[in-house]
């Protein structure tokens, strides 16, 4: 987290000494770790991106995600399917749920996208027209806040992209959205068959964008 | 069994839909938070303004200039009403008139402010304020102040003050009546807005996001401190200052006051509605919901044949208990039927009942046979099933990814009173601990002693609880002082009543190692909406005995009624398990009423520890994440003279939930009660095991207040 005000350090300081049978007391470990992290911001480890050979040898489907505002990289593996929605998880229990390649929920990021009403994926792939979307977040007092966006799609033309050593012919589609006080632009690189090979999608005001790369063949 | 169907109060969740209007984003937190003055209320430097803080804000302020120091705690009670409690000291009080015997004069004061006009395009924000409305009158003053933003970064304030705030260049005839101090603590309503008045003015200019400069003309002559007692020299009415906002919560300021003194201030403004870490909560992702394959695709999987295999419930208990435990949820009981399941769970992690419920349901979806369509989930506190939430598994499957699926799920969930376990139910699981313990740091304070207004000892406390049977607990707490400051507290003025609280200092004197409590408690639902508790043992550090409680609390009612009755004896000061020869019967009939928007009123009528008879009214604002800010006052048949300083018992209580500070789920909280003075009248047994507070987390309001976290 970037916001690490004094009170957190105070709270953490008080809690470092606490312990219990269940380790539930005052979020002990969390607070202590938070304090240590604040005191000693370590150099970020270089992200070990798997090679195409490693991916092929492993055979399991993987997704790579990058959050620019947090300089955070992760590999995600699928953990559940509900209808058209696939949920992908990192090893440290953060999840992204994608509906036909469009981000519909996140969990574990803080400021999560709690739910959404997405534009029809067919319209997004076509790169034409205007659509609406709705996002929900936890607002002040943990109340659900719904935000509507009006979005315009545009086709930015053909583009070859390389993901994990493989090259794909795509069209770059942009979705420009405006809503209450906030605006964002999602980008999708769509293959002729409709697969969204890579994308930059907006999670919310706290997380910012997440870049997604589909590492499946 | 009483069954109550949840009222579908969607609006109760204050769900907002915002269209593309260009209005500020709903999550926009960088709102313009007005700065505080030296009194810890919204204003300039030493003068108030017409502005108010955003609803619900809590403030802590410290300011000092010359001989004057002021520490304050404030709360924006509602969008218009705010209150501030202050502890002020004036050094060198006896320098010219040596009459008090103290080098520093200390004074407690309490203000109320009411914003009568919100700021409009042309209309200024206008606030009426009562300063030190019930004290000795040193800080007594009233004002009406108007503030207008000339520019988003520039505010101009003008006002008129009475009393202390109308003492410099005043106009108007007549005199202000003398405050009849008596034992203090009573409103001085006969002096309000009486006597001469004087104008004051100020400007504040914000430079960028962090810096601000202030200038003001003060209508306070400091008649007592400057003219009579010569504690400092007041040369001009003009004050200047510069302030720096270090974070969203903290502002620092440096000032020049009255042409002669340098001052500084520290202003904490906390927003209970938003965690320090920002919106949302940083818990790990929940386990995914497991969706059953369609019955038409795999009819065999949906078979109910498993129900005829006797070993299934035992296996389910084992797997379920192991899956719940890492989530901070412990299986308490399980009853499986062909198409429904009843599950009792202890939630030790989540401050949000809805989040505990959602995670339990997700785990159930991955373990229970597909034919089980109905989940009946009961959260257990102290062995009591606090309520029962019924969820349809197919609703969970359909709504996991639905837009605003939380709102739709609420419409389909029902919340009812906890049920009765059938005899064939399986109890517990290997993961569910019978013995729980904690070692926590603890603070003990002694406030407002004129010799040293703030004394605190850090202690280390070990507490544990062993569940002997369903609802039967043996609990205790011991603590050890790590510092020794409270032992030096002197005896308070003698009391006309049995010294049930004024002898606290004697316990502090011998309290290095202390058995704070050791008791046996039995909790159970008596049937319907009635609950009961019986406790026997050392109930608190100063009293031991036996206590019983009964509570009527329907899950969906804003009203609950209860009664407590205790026979207690005063424990010896030196903790040798003996009792002093003071014994008494104490007990109250209590009514709890929860208004909308989280205001709770509690009325206790009965007999207090010193044998006095009367009533206590408490008004508490409860925020969904667990923050509480409340005030209470007790009037009994003890006269103000018998009671002593303060006239009657009153105070404020603040509960700060740990989840708010660390941004992760936690049920831990820090609670503190501030009394301007502690005497023996209107004293309750310190026994915070009241059933109401443990059960309310899981009633309809408890679930609804943070329902959005059901999918979190």
């Amino acid at each position: 987290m970037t916001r690490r005000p004094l009170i957190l350090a105070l709270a953490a300081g008080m809690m470092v000494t606490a312990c219990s049978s269940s380790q539930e007391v005052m979020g002990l470990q969390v607070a202590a770790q938070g304090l240590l992290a604040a005191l000693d911001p370590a150099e970020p480890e270089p992200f070990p991106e798997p090679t195409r050979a490693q991916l092929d040898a492993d055979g399991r489907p993987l997704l790579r995600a990058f959050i620019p505002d947090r300089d955070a990289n992760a590999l995600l593996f699928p953990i559940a399917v509900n209808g058209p929605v696939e949920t992908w998880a990192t090893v440290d229990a953060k999840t992204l749920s994608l509906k036909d390649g469009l981000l519909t929920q996140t969990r574990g990021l803080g400021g999560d996208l709690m739910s959404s009403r997405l534009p029809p994926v067919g319209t997004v792939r076509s790169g034409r027209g205007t659509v609406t979307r709705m996002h929900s977040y936890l607002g002040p007092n943990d109340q659900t806040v719904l935000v509507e966006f009006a979005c315009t799609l545009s086709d930015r033309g053909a583009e070859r992209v390389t993901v994990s050593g493989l090259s794909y012919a795509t069209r770059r589609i942009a979705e420009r959205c405006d809503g209450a006080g906030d605006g964002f632009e999602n980008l999708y690189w769509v293959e002729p068959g409709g697969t969204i090979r890579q994308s930059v999608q907006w999670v919310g005001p706290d997380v910012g964008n997440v870049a997604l790369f589909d590492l499946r063949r | 069994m009483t069954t109550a169907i949840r009222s579908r109060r969607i609006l109760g969740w204050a769900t907002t839909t915002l269209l593309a209007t260009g209005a500020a984003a709903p999550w926009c937190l960088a709102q313009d938070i007005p700065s505080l003055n030296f009194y810890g209320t919204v204003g300039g430097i030493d003068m108030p303004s017409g502005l108010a803080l955003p609803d619900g804000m809590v403030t802590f302020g410290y300011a000092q200039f010359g001989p004057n120091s002021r520490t304050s705690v404030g709360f924006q009670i509602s969008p218009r009403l705010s209150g501030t409690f202050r502890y002020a000291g004036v050094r060198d009080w006896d320098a010219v008139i040596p009459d008090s015997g103290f080098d520093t004069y200390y004074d407690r004061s309490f203000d109320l402010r009411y914003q009568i006009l919100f700021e409009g395009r042309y209309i200024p924000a206008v606030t009426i304020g009562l300063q030190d409305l019930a004290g000795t009158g040193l800080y007594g003053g009233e004002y009406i102040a108007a503030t207008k933003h000339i520019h988003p970064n520039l505010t101009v304030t003008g006002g008129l003050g009475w009393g202390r705030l109308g003492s410099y260049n005043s106009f108007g005839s007549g005199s202000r009546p003398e405050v009849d101090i008596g034992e203090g603590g009573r409103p001085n309503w006969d002096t309000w807005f009486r006597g001469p008045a004087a104008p004051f003015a100020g400007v504040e200019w914000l430079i960028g996001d962090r810096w601000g400069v202030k200038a003001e003309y003060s209508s306070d002559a400091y008649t007592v401190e400057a003219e009579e007692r010569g504690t400092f020299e007041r040369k001009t009415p003009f004050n200047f200052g510069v302030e720096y906002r270090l974070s969203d919560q903290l502002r620092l300021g440096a000032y020049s006051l009255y042409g002669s003194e340098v001052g500084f201030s520290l202003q904490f403004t906390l927003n209970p509605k938003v965690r320090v870490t920002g919106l949302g909560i940083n818990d790990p992702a929940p386990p995914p919901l497991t969706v059953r394959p369609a019955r038409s695709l795999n009819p065999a999987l949906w078979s109910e044949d498993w129900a005829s295999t006797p070993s299934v419930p035992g296996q389910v208990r084992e797997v379920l208990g192991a899956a719940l435990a890492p989530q901070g949820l412990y299986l308490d009981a399980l009853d499986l039927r062909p198409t429904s399941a009843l599950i009792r769970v202890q939630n030790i992690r989540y401050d949000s009942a809805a989040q505990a419920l959602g995670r339990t349901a997700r785990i159930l979806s991955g373990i229970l046979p597909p034919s089980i369509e109905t989940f009946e989930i009961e959260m257990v506190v102290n062995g009591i099933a606090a309520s029962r939430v019924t969820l349809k598994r197919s609703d969970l499957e359909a709504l996991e990814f639905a837009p605003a699926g939380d709102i739709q799920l609420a419409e389909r969930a029902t919340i009812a009173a906890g049920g009765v376990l059938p005899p064939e139910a399986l109890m517990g699981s290997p993961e569910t601990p019978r013995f729980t313990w904690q070692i926590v740091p603890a603070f003990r304070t002694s406030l407002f002693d004129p010799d040293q207004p703030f004394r605190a000892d850090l202690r280390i406390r070990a507490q544990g609880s062993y569940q002997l049977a369903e609802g039967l607990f043996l609990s205790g707490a011991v603590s050890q002082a790590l510092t020794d400051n409270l032992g030096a507290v002197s005896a308070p003025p003698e009391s006309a009543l049995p010294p049930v609280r004024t002898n606290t200092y004697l316990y502090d004197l011998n309290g290095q190692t202390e058995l704070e409590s050791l008791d046996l408690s039995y909790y159970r639902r008596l049937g319907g909406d009635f609950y009961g508790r019986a406790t026997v043992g050392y109930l608190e550090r100063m009293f031991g005995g036996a206590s019983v409680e009964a509570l009527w609390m329907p899950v969906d009612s804003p009203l609950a009624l209860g009664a407590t009755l205790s026979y207690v004896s005063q424990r010896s000061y030196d903790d040798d398990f003996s009792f002093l020869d003071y014994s008494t019967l104490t007990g109250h009939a209590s009514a709890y009423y929860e208004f909308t928007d989280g205001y709770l009123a509690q009325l206790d009528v009965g007999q207090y520890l010193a044998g006095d008879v009367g009533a206590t009214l408490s008004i508490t604002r409860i925020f969904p994440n667990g923050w509480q800010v409340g005030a209470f006052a007790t009037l009994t048949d003890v006269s103000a003279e018998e009671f002593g300083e303060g006239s009657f018992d009153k105070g404020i209580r603040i509960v700060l939930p740990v989840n708010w500070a660390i941004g992760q789920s936690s049920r831990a909280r820090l609670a503190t009660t501030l009394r301007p003075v502690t005497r023996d009248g209107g004293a309750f047994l310190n026994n915070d095991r009241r059933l109401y507070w443990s059960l309310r987390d899981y009633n309809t309001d408890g679930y609804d207040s943070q329902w959005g976290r059901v999918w979190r």
Side-chain angles (χ1 to χ4, degrees):
Chain A
M1 291 300 301
T2 48
R3 278 163 290 181
R4 200 175 291 285
L6 184 63
I7 186 117
L8 177 58
L10 280 174
M14 273 182 57
M15 290 157 204
V16 169
T17 50
C19 63
S20 80
S21 56
S22 61
Q23 293 298 330
E24 292 293 330
V25 164
M26 297 180 172
L28 158 76
Q29 295 147 307
V30 180
Q33 285 161 9
L35 183 69
L36 292 175
L39 294 174
D40 179 24
E43 278 293 302
E45 297 272 317
F47 182 69
E49 194 172 345
T51 62
R52 176 46 55 188
Q54 286 171 328
L55 289 169
D56 286 346
D58 186 74
R60 283 177 295 186
L62 277 178
L63 198 64
R64 183 161 87 81
F66 173 61
I67 298 178
D69 286 2
R70 299 181 179 182
D71 200 18
N73 275 290
L75 286 176
L76 296 96
F77 48 95
I79 55 163
V81 175
N82 186 353
V85 181
E86 264 190 314
T87 296
W88 300 73
T90 66
V91 287
D92 59 345
K94 301 177 193 311
T95 62
L96 303 176
S97 296
L98 303 175
K99 183 181 181 185
D100 300 317
L102 305 186
L103 187 70
T104 187
Q105 288 189 4
T106 71
R107 291 292 184 272
L109 301 180
D112 284 304
L113 176 58
M114 290 304 293
S115 74
S116 58
R117 192 191 63 238
L118 299 173
V121 70
T123 315
V124 172
R125 285 175 186 144
S126 77
R128 277 194 308 276
T130 58
V131 293
T132 63
R133 48 164 72 219
M134 186 275 291
H135 291 183
S136 84
Y137 301 93
L138 289 175
N141 269 340
D142 285 342
Q143 304 303 293
T144 296
V145 178
L146 310 181
V147 197
E148 302 265 0
F149 295 94
C151 309
T152 308
L153 291 156
S154 58
D155 186 334
R156 300 276 171 87
E159 196 174 322
R160 280 205 84 80
V161 296
T162 304
V163 176
S164 271
L166 294 180
S167 176
Y168 302 89
T170 67
R171 296 198 75 78
R172 188 206 287 212
I173 308 296
E175 181 193 11
R176 171 75 224 171
C177 297
D178 289 295
D182 249 302
F184 59 90
E185 186 175 75
N186 287 350
L187 298 172
Y188 310 93
W189 283 261
V190 184
E191 291 177 52
T195 303
I196 298 176
R197 180 53 58 182
Q198 66 179 36
S199 61
V200 176
Q201 303 189 50
W202 192 69
V203 177
D206 184 48
V207 180
N209 289 314
V210 57
L212 296 171
F213 307 89
D214 190 340
L215 305 188
R216 292 174 287 197
R217 263 194 185 268
Chain B
M1 192 185 82
T2 316
T3 320
I5 302 299
R6 148 202 295 265
S7 54
R8 293 177 172 76
R9 292 184 300 130
I10 296 300
L11 287 176
W13 304 320
T15 301
T16 7
T17 304
L18 291 133
L19 296 160
T21 57
W27 46 70
C28 183
L29 304 175
Q31 50 190 335
D32 181 21
I33 295 167
S35 55
L36 307 180
N37 66 11
F38 272 49
Y39 286 97
T41 64
V42 175
I45 300 168
D46 211 23
M47 293 289 115
S49 79
L51 300 175
L53 288 165
D55 177 45
M57 297 286 272
V58 173
T59 63
F60 297 94
Y62 179 79
Q64 184 168 357
F65 78 93
N68 300 285
S69 63
R70 295 169 196 159
T71 307
S72 60
V73 183
F75 181 49
Q76 190 68 38
I77 300 163
S78 76
R80 290 183 189 272
L81 184 67
S82 65
T84 306
F85 175 74
R86 182 180 316 104
Y87 192 65
V90 184
R91 224 175 41 232
D92 303 330
W93 186 257
D94 279 5
V96 176
I97 313 172
D99 58 354
S100 77
F102 295 115
D103 177 50
T104 303
Y105 177 85
Y106 289 105
D107 200 44
R108 283 155 286 216
S109 52
F110 181 72
D111 305 353
L112 280 176
R113 291 163 56 85
Y114 189 80
Q115 192 172 46
I116 53 171
L117 281 179
F118 291 137
E119 187 174 357
R121 190 164 172 191
Y122 300 108
I123 303 171
V126 178
T127 293
I128 289 188
L130 300 170
Q131 183 169 295
D132 192 9
L133 61 90
T136 56
L138 175 65
Y139 288 104
E142 300 76 43
Y143 55 88
I144 176 162
T147 299
K148 182 81 192 79
H149 282 81
I150 304 296
H151 176 268
N153 290 334
L154 181 66
T155 53
V156 174
T157 297
L160 196 56
W162 285 261
R164 181 182 182 102
L165 299 173
S167 57
Y168 182 75
N169 270 354
S170 55
F171 58 84
S173 55
S175 63
R176 190 176 167 93
E178 285 289 308
V179 171
D180 173 19
I181 297 175
E183 296 292 344
R186 284 173 302 187
N188 310 317
W189 56 271
D190 56 326
T191 68
W192 295 346
F193 299 101
R194 301 279 297 277
F200 59 87
V203 290
E204 180 176 3
W205 181 32
L206 302 177
I207 304 159
D209 281 347
R210 301 206 172 267
W211 291 94
V213 290
K214 289 174 164 180
E216 75 180 10
Y217 167 85
S218 166
S219 59
D220 188 339
Y222 278 82
T223 313
V224 176
E225 297 95 324
E227 289 174 26
E228 293 175 13
R229 292 183 177 269
T231 63
F232 78 104
E233 193 179 355
R234 185 190 188 282
K235 289 180 176 166
T236 76
F238 297 105
N239 301 326
F240 305 93
V242 56
E243 293 180 346
Y244 180 74
R245 206 167 61 93
L246 206 64
S247 72
D248 284 351
Q249 288 85 19
L250 178 61
R251 214 186 292 245
L252 304 172
Y255 313 85
S256 153
L257 288 102
Y258 300 107
S260 61
E261 297 293 344
V262 170
F264 69 91
S265 79
L266 188 144
Q267 310 163 25
F268 267 108
T269 40
L270 309 180
N271 186 351
K273 296 179 183 179
V274 180
R275 292 183 185 84
V276 172
T277 50
L279 293 176
I281 190 139
N282 293 330
D283 290 347
L289 192 78
T290 305
V291 178
R292 298 167 291 181
R295 178 173 249 167
S296 54
L297 291 178
N298 195 344
L301 200 65
W302 287 67
S303 155
E304 296 170 16
D305 292 349
W306 61 267
S308 52
T309 310
S311 63
V312 170
Q315 290 163 358
V316 168
R317 174 171 67 172
E318 197 172 311
V319 178
L320 191 55
L324 285 167
Q327 299 291 327
L329 299 163
Y330 291 106
L331 185 63
D332 200 70
L334 172 70
D335 179 45
L336 299 182
R337 282 151 279 154
T339 61
S340 70
L342 170 65
I343 299 95
R344 285 191 174 174
V345 172
Q346 294 176 30
N347 163 31
I348 62 164
R349 181 175 300 171
Y350 304 98
D351 47 290
S352 158
Q355 190 174 349
L357 174 79
R359 292 198 175 211
T360 302
R362 287 167 178 271
I363 290 166
L364 291 173
S365 76
I367 291 171
L368 297 187
S371 69
I372 294 179
E373 165 65 9
T374 305
F375 295 166
E376 295 167 342
I377 300 171
E378 298 185 342
M379 292 294 162
V380 175
V381 248
N382 295 328
I384 297 175
S387 62
R388 171 183 292 184
V389 183
T390 305
L391 298 169
K392 293 284 179 208
R393 193 169 181 173
S394 46
D395 288 339
L396 293 165
E397 291 165 344
L399 298 176
E400 184 188 12
F401 292 105
D406 56 324
I407 296 170
Q408 297 185 57
L409 185 64
E411 288 168 5
R412 304 186 199 181
T414 60
I415 300 179
V420 177
L421 275 188
E424 63 272 22
L426 297 179
M427 303 301 292
S429 85
E431 282 77 16
T432 307
R434 295 179 80 81
F435 179 63
T436 56
W437 57 269
Q438 299 170 349
I439 295 174
V440 292
F443 289 100
R444 206 170 262 173
T445 55
S446 166
L447 300 178
F448 313 134
D449 179 344
D451 288 338
Q452 195 181 336
F454 181 81
R455 278 195 180 90
D457 271 337
L458 177 63
R459 303 178 73 86
I460 185 107
R461 177 186 291 144
Q463 52 199 42
S465 182
Y466 188 80
Q467 182 164 11
L468 299 162
E470 195 188 347
L472 184 64
F473 298 87
L474 179 65
S475 313
V478 288
S479 72
Q480 168 68 43
L482 302 178
T483 58
D484 182 19
N485 300 311
L486 262 51
V489 174
S490 50
E494 189 124 333
S495 182
L497 298 168
V500 292
R501 291 294 177 214
T502 49
N503 60 6
T504 302
Y505 75 102
L506 292 171
Y507 293 82
D508 288 335
L509 209 57
N510 298 293
Q512 285 302 307
T513 308
E514 195 172 286
L515 177 70
E516 296 186 350
S517 67
L518 180 65
D519 61 61
L520 194 64
S521 286
Y522 182 57
Y523 302 83
R524 69 167 291 172
R525 201 151 72 91
L526 302 172
D529 298 320
F530 289 90
Y531 303 86
R533 170 181 64 84
T535 307
V536 59
Y538 299 108
L539 304 175
E540 53 142 299
R541 67 186 294 225
M542 293 169 68
F543 288 92
S547 164
V548 290
E549 179 183 4
L551 177 72
W552 170 79
M553 185 176 183
V555 285
D556 63 343
S557 163
L559 177 70
L561 300 171
T564 59
L565 188 66
S566 311
Y567 185 78
V568 292
S569 294
Q570 190 146 15
R571 294 174 61 186
S572 68
Y573 309 127
D574 49 9
D575 218 11
D576 64 355
F577 297 95
S578 66
F579 289 96
L580 306 175
D581 65 358
Y582 181 72
S583 298
T584 189
L585 193 66
T586 177
H588 292 85
S590 306
Y592 311 82
Y593 191 86
E594 184 142 18
F595 295 89
T596 50
D597 304 329
Y599 294 92
L600 177 85
Q602 180 181 336
L603 181 68
D604 298 286
V605 181
Q607 181 162 308
Y608 295 79
L609 276 177
D612 47 337
V613 175
T616 301
L617 179 64
S618 316
I619 306 284
T620 305
R621 181 146 180 206
I622 303 178
F623 294 85
N625 62 23
W627 260 92
Q628 293 182 22
V629 183
F632 60 88
T634 301
L635 289 175
T636 68
D637 56 358
V638 169
S639 69
E641 288 68 33
E642 284 175 288
F643 182 90
E645 188 188 350
S647 301
F648 61 95
D649 190 60
K650 58 197 164 298
I652 56 180
R653 182 173 160 79
I654 298 174
V655 176
L656 191 158
V658 167
N659 80 75
W660 177 86
I662 66 170
Q664 289 214 344
S665 285
S666 167
R667 292 187 63 77
R669 44 186 61 180
L670 309 171
T672 186
T673 302
L674 274 177
R675 284 180 163 86
V677 61
T678 303
R679 302 294 296 168
D680 297 313
F684 279 96
L685 197 58
N686 279 343
N687 177 335
D688 55 6
R689 273 160 287 207
R690 281 214 186 189
L691 290 162
Y692 181 82
W693 292 101
S694 59
L695 294 172
R696 73 177 293 284
D697 286 350
Y698 301 103
N699 68 10
T700 308
D701 273 340
Y703 275 103
D704 279 356
S705 66
Q706 288 171 302
W707 182 260
R709 282 168 67 179
V710 71
W711 288 120
R712 180 62 188 83

